[in-house]
Amino acid sequence: MDSISLATSVSSILVKGNGGLGSQTTMAHFKTNSRRHPPKNLLYPQRAKLPPDPVVVNQFLNNKISAPSPSFTDLTSSKIFQLPEGEDDEHEEIYAYDYKDTDVIWDSDEIEAISSLFQGRIPQKPGTLNRDRPLPLPLPHKLRPPGLPNLKIRPRTVVSSRALMSKQVYKRPDFLIGLARAIRDLSPEENVSKVLNRWGPFLQKGSLSLTIKELGHMGLPDRALKTFCWAQEQPRLFPDDRVLATTVEVLARNHELKVPLNLEEFTELASRGVLEAMVRGFIKGGSLNLAWKLLVAAKKGKRMLDPSVYVKLILELGKNPDKNMLVLTLMDELGQREALKLNQQDTTAIIKVCTRLGKSEIAEKLHSWYVESGHEPSVVMYTALVHNRYSDRKYREALSLVWEMEAANCPFDLPAYSVVIKLFVALGDLSRAVRYFAKLKEAGFAPTYDVYRNLITIYLVSGRLAKCKEIYKEAEDAGFIMDKQITSLLLQAKG
């Protein structure tokens, strides 16, 4: 009886005809599911269908899956689908109804699809079995290379106006100079704390150095000292060497600094920044003797100061012919340093001092050292060196520098044109002097008195009186009055 019910259930699934509505619905649903393909661009692709449970298959096969599954034809011809001999008459009408007037022929694809239920796999259409899915469109947040951490999305926090102002104000020159002006506008009875207490929370270390320097330019050293005293009482702003050095420089420049009696002991205790600021203040204030004494004390204490301090003192001492020995001594001290570091401005300044003192060999050595250090001279240095060779009457050597400037495409300025024209006048080269005079005008510069005088001189030497009168008239139109020597020479040429 069990075999009959089993055969009946299986036949109701397998039989295809007009009379079985349930079988038609089941087969249609099965064919639809077996031939439908999932879309290619699913965000979350469907999981592959699992094979049927082996326990269910064993109920039909009555043995374990140890051998290959039989085909559909083997199953239909086996004894499972045959009725027992004693029950043919009982189920004769059912089989007659199922198979009566049925001329439907099963396709091979349908047979294989049904047999695959018992084999544990779903048939696939012929073609490429391993199809590659198209890559998704790139998204901006997924363009980062793999392995890097994701960007942190920080929540927006409301920043207070005081914090925002603190980040911007403490180093703004206009704000710090405005503090100096506000302190200047205070009445003599009012203290600087009236202004500084208000803006103190927005200041940081080093901020007040510009304010103190500006107070020194305004001629208010006492206000600068009081500002420093106020900063000294703020644990958040002091100690600070920049504020201390700036205050010392302002007081020394305005002759308000008390010089210690024992300079050697002071140089041992003071920091390098304070010593350099004191020397600069003495130099700007005109106290060259104090600056010299401080440098001597620093040398005895084996304190190495910045070369720019020596250069500033050399420039000021070089203006006085009586101080030439001190200038040469300072130059020797700079030359004895193993690692000398001078910028272009300081090097050019020393070359000018050497030209003034008649020490052209020192200027040449300094220029050679600067070029060998890997630096490129500027037009100012070239002009100073040309003038140095001109003053030493080395005209041909000076002319080689002019060609070097031309080869380096160094743009000429007005002092360079003036020195070069003076050189050509000394060489008696009229054509080149006139050519560079024309270049000077083409560059947009207005000729100076020396340029007009040199051109008139070379035209007089060449005997070209008409050009002399033309240049003389142009100089008068420019507002220059020629000296008596040029005027007398012109009168003699006319007579």
Side-chain angles (χ1 to χ4, degrees):
M1 202 56 197
D2 294 338
S3 61
I4 296 174
S5 61
L6 178 61
T8 306
S9 61
V10 173
S11 63
S12 64
I13 296 174
L14 298 181
V15 173
K16 181 178 181 181
N18 297 328
L21 183 58
S23 63
Q24 292 177 3
T25 304
T26 305
M27 288 301 300
H29 180 67
F30 172 75
K31 291 172 68 177
T32 303
N33 290 339
S34 63
R35 296 181 181 180
R36 182 169 51 179
H37 301 283
K40 297 181 178 181
N41 56 351
L42 280 178
L43 184 60
Y44 300 100
Q46 296 179 355
R47 188 178 63 180
K49 293 184 178 180
L50 298 176
D53 193 353
V55 179
V56 178
V57 177
N58 289 338
Q59 294 178 358
F60 294 96
L61 301 180
N62 286 331
N63 64 354
K64 297 182 180 179
I65 304 176
S66 59
S69 301
S71 62
F72 177 74
T73 54
D74 296 335
L75 290 173
T76 54
S77 60
S78 63
K79 295 181 179 180
I80 299 176
F81 293 93
Q82 296 178 4
L83 294 175
E85 296 178 357
E87 298 181 357
D88 292 342
D89 297 335
E90 182 179 357
H91 297 280
E92 184 177 358
E93 296 180 0
I94 298 175
Y95 283 97
Y97 173 78
D98 290 338
Y99 289 96
K100 181 177 62 177
D101 298 332
T102 56
D103 54 353
V104 178
I105 301 175
W106 291 89
D107 297 332
S108 60
D109 293 338
E110 296 174 346
I111 297 174
E112 185 179 0
I114 296 173
S115 62
S116 64
L117 290 175
F118 304 97
Q119 295 178 3
R121 68 179 185 86
I122 299 176
Q124 298 181 357
K125 289 187 175 180
T128 57
L129 299 180
N130 298 326
R131 293 188 297 273
D132 296 333
R133 291 182 57 197
L135 295 175
L137 295 177
L139 299 176
H141 64 280
K142 292 186 178 180
L143 293 179
R144 293 171 59 82
L148 295 178
N150 295 329
L151 294 176
K152 292 184 178 179
I153 302 176
R154 302 182 181 275
R156 290 188 176 182
T157 57
V158 179
V159 182
S160 63
S161 59
R162 172 166 291 193
L164 186 61
M165 185 177 292
S166 175
K167 291 182 179 179
Q168 297 177 355
V169 161
Y170 74 95
K171 57 183 178 180
R172 282 175 51 183
D174 53 349
F175 165 71
L176 298 173
I177 294 175
L179 276 181
R181 292 172 182 171
I183 294 173
R184 178 196 59 187
D185 296 338
L186 290 174
S187 61
E189 296 80 11
E190 294 176 326
N191 198 352
V192 295
S193 59
K194 183 178 180 181
V195 176
L196 296 176
N197 286 340
R198 178 184 177 186
W199 300 103
F202 305 110
L203 298 175
Q204 293 185 8
K205 282 189 176 182
S207 300
L208 286 177
S209 60
L210 183 58
T211 303
I212 294 174
K213 186 181 295 185
E214 188 66 20
L215 288 172
H217 293 321
M218 294 176 182
L220 300 173
D222 54 338
R223 292 292 190 182
L225 181 59
K226 290 178 180 178
T227 303
F228 170 75
C229 294
W230 178 88
Q232 213 171 4
E233 297 174 356
Q234 311 298 321
R236 192 171 54 85
L237 304 179
F238 202 82
D240 188 2
D241 284 345
R242 287 174 291 180
V243 175
L244 176 60
T246 306
T247 307
V248 169
E249 182 178 349
V250 167
L251 296 177
R253 185 171 69 242
N254 291 275
H255 308 282
E256 297 289 340
L257 183 65
K258 293 181 180 180
V259 182
L261 297 177
N262 193 347
L263 286 177
E264 295 181 2
E265 183 180 356
F266 173 74
T267 53
E268 291 178 359
L269 298 176
S271 63
R272 177 179 174 178
V274 172
L275 289 176
E276 293 175 356
M278 189 179 294
V279 175
R280 285 195 298 266
F282 286 146
I283 294 173
K284 292 178 182 179
S287 303
L288 301 181
N289 291 331
L290 289 175
W292 170 261
K293 291 179 181 179
L294 193 58
L295 285 180
V296 171
K299 182 181 178 182
K300 289 182 180 180
K302 297 181 180 180
R303 301 294 301 273
M304 190 73 67
L305 301 184
D306 193 80
S308 61
V309 177
Y310 288 84
V311 173
K312 286 180 174 61
L313 187 57
I314 287 172
L315 287 176
E316 294 298 327
L317 292 175
K319 298 176 182 179
N320 189 355
D322 298 334
K323 305 292 185 180
N324 291 343
M325 293 303 298
L326 299 179
V327 172
L328 294 176
T329 303
L330 291 174
M331 287 184 180
D332 291 338
E333 290 183 9
L334 286 179
Q336 292 174 3
R337 292 195 178 189
E338 296 180 358
L340 181 62
K341 293 182 180 180
L342 289 176
N343 56 22
Q344 194 173 74
Q345 185 178 0
D346 293 341
T347 306
T348 306
I350 295 178
I351 290 175
K352 291 180 180 179
V353 173
C354 293
T355 303
R356 193 182 307 155
L357 297 177
K359 301 293 182 179
S360 60
E361 64 278 0
I362 300 178
E364 293 291 341
K365 290 180 180 179
L366 193 59
H367 173 259
S368 301
W369 166 84
Y370 187 80
V371 174
E372 290 174 359
S373 300
H375 302 289
E376 192 170 338
S378 65
V379 62
V380 182
M381 184 178 291
Y382 274 124
T383 303
L385 202 59
V386 170
H387 182 63
N388 177 69
R389 294 182 182 181
Y390 169 82
S391 302
D392 203 24
R393 297 182 181 276
K394 297 179 180 179
Y395 302 138
R396 294 298 175 184
E397 289 82 355
L399 189 61
S400 64
L401 276 177
V402 177
W403 305 146
E404 185 178 339
M405 292 173 66
E406 293 283 355
N409 294 325
C410 184
F412 283 55
D413 56 0
L414 184 57
Y417 279 116
S418 178
V419 172
V420 169
I421 291 173
K422 186 190 296 186
L423 175 63
F424 290 138
V425 171
L427 290 170
D429 196 340
L430 177 62
S431 61
R432 285 174 177 164
V434 173
R435 189 173 70 209
Y436 275 86
F437 181 70
K439 286 183 177 181
L440 183 148
K441 290 184 176 180
E442 291 176 359
F445 298 113
T448 60
Y449 174 82
D450 293 337
V451 173
Y452 282 124
R453 192 179 188 281
N454 289 326
L455 276 178
I456 292 173
T457 302
I458 195 170
Y459 276 129
L460 280 173
V461 173
S462 302
R464 302 181 63 176
L465 297 179
K467 279 290 184 182
C468 286
K469 293 179 181 179
E470 181 182 344
I471 298 297
Y472 189 87
K473 182 69 169 59
E474 184 179 343
E476 286 184 344
D477 294 341
F480 296 110
I481 299 175
M482 292 292 122
D483 55 11
K484 294 180 180 180
Q485 183 181 0
I486 294 294
T487 305
S488 61
L489 289 174
L490 283 173
L491 292 175
Q492 289 175 8
K494 290 179 181 178

